Amino acid sequence: MTCTLIISTYNRPDALRLCLLSAISQSCPPAEIIIGDDGSKQKTEELIAEIKAISPVPIVHVWQEDKGFRLAKMRNKCVAVSNGDYIIECDGDIILHQHFVRDHMMIATPGHYLKGGRTNLGKTLSAKLCAAGKKASICFFTHGIEAKRENSIHLPYIARLIAPYYRKNKESALGCNMSFFKNDFLALNGYDEYYEGWGGEDGDFGRRMQRHGLKKLHLKFAGIVYHLWHEDKFMYNKDRNCQYSRRPDDQQPIRCIDGVDKYFGPNAEPIIIR
């Protein structure tokens, strides 16, 4: 089984540097890394070119014009160009534990998808790491963790045992740390591109996966990521997206209408690869 790691980013090259350095140093590297760039400027393109030159893993830079927060659309494009049988998603403002990919692959199970958590780093530590611009080593005891320190404990075999039971009926999905089989993604037509602006696309995707018959495995003590601090951004379209996501099930098809299928076939919408 081959694995594609998809990293979403927007105009934060200092954080993306740390993310990519952790991604190309995995104990079990993915077959490819696809960076889903929601319209970043030149500095991000230059950073990606720099990391490509030293990466043992092929890196693909998918870019789309900056027309606001269009994460669902970008993730669909990344999956459309991917070659892996299995997809792992994360955001470009996190640092991956060295066994992050290995953990996801170890627990991956047909008929299931995986949802992880994150440890939140404080403002001072995040600024220090970004300024250094080097591969970061973080653990439970690192000074400067702001919240969810317990999520940095690595016990992979315990994780595999409790994955079907831990937080079984809690949050359906978390796009910054999630994985699934590509065939399952395509069966749902991927993310619903109605979602533009903040919020809703992850929960919608998770609920449709479950209505499709997939079960969630929650990663506790495995699949660890460290989230770099950032200011809260204006959450435009929040009310619109929340209202849309609360529609009755009979108005929410498992296979969304506006999804990934538009990037396949003779009349496919173009995808920009830099």
Side-chain angles (χ1 to χ4, degrees):
M1 185 170 69
T2 56
C3 168
T4 295
L5 175 64
I6 293 176
I7 302 173
S8 304
T9 191
Y10 175 71
N11 276 334
R12 199 176 175 191
D14 56 347
L16 182 61
R17 175 186 293 276
L18 300 181
C19 181
L20 286 174
L21 289 175
S22 66
I24 66 174
S25 305
Q26 289 291 296
S27 61
C28 175
E32 62 183 356
I33 296 170
I34 300 178
I35 301 171
D37 184 352
D38 195 15
S40 298
K41 297 180 181 178
Q42 185 69 23
K43 287 186 178 180
T44 293
E45 185 173 3
E46 293 171 356
L47 179 274
I48 294 171
E50 177 187 339
I51 301 299
K52 275 185 179 182
I54 62 171
S55 175
V57 179
I59 296 178
V60 178
H61 180 193
V62 178
W63 183 89
Q64 67 185 10
E65 187 178 356
D66 186 356
K67 293 184 177 180
F69 188 91
R70 298 188 295 162
L71 182 59
K73 189 177 190 71
M74 175 47 67
R75 284 179 176 160
N76 280 346
K77 290 179 178 180
C78 290
V79 174
V81 302
S82 68
N83 295 302
D85 306 305
Y86 196 73
I87 307 293
I88 304 176
E89 287 183 351
C90 69
D91 288 345
D93 60 357
I94 63 172
I95 299 170
L96 310 177
H97 186 279
Q98 65 175 331
H99 301 311
F100 172 79
V101 171
R102 188 188 72 177
D103 289 348
H104 273 268
M105 296 296 284
M106 177 184 70
I107 300 176
T109 307
H112 298 73
Y113 70 98
L114 275 58
K115 174 196 172 294
R118 60 188 175 186
T119 292
N120 296 325
L121 306 184
K123 183 176 181 179
T124 301
L125 176 58
S126 298
K128 179 181 178 181
L129 293 172
C130 288
K134 299 177 181 178
K135 180 184 172 184
S137 179
I138 307 170
C139 68
F140 178 85
F141 300 102
T142 298
H143 179 70
I145 291 176
E146 182 177 74
K148 301 181 180 179
R149 185 181 293 271
E150 69 279 3
N151 284 345
S152 63
I153 300 172
H154 191 236
L155 300 169
Y157 296 104
I158 298 297
R160 184 159 58 181
L161 288 174
I162 67 174
Y165 314 106
Y166 185 79
R167 299 180 70 87
K168 182 177 180 180
N169 298 316
K170 298 294 183 179
E171 309 90 349
S172 64
L174 183 67
C176 74
N177 186 357
M178 186 164 64
S179 64
F180 43 82
F181 287 90
K182 184 176 179 178
N183 284 341
D184 290 329
F185 183 92
L186 297 178
L188 302 174
N189 204 19
Y191 283 93
D192 187 342
E193 294 188 14
Y194 174 90
Y195 290 97
E196 294 186 4
W198 185 87
E201 70 284 334
D202 291 345
D204 172 86
F205 181 58
R207 289 189 296 274
R208 286 190 290 116
M209 283 197 287
Q210 292 181 356
R211 289 170 57 212
H212 181 58
L214 301 177
K215 295 181 179 179
K216 181 187 74 174
L217 297 176
H218 190 107
L219 292 178
K220 184 70 173 179
F221 306 134
I224 296 168
V225 302
Y226 305 97
H227 183 239
L228 294 158
W229 182 91
H230 59 75
E231 293 181 354
D232 290 334
K233 298 180 180 179
F234 176 64
M235 297 177 179
Y236 76 93
N237 278 349
K238 177 181 178 181
D239 292 340
R240 167 184 174 271
N241 288 351
C242 287
Q243 184 177 1
Y244 180 75
S245 70
R246 291 171 182 158
R247 295 168 298 150
D249 282 353
D250 61 1
Q251 298 177 23
Q252 298 191 44
I254 294 173
R255 180 179 173 84
C256 67
I257 297 171
D258 189 9
V260 71
D261 59 357
K262 68 175 69 172
Y263 305 110
F264 298 103
N267 298 315
E269 185 174 313
I271 297 175
I272 300 172
I273 298 178
R274 290 187 159 179

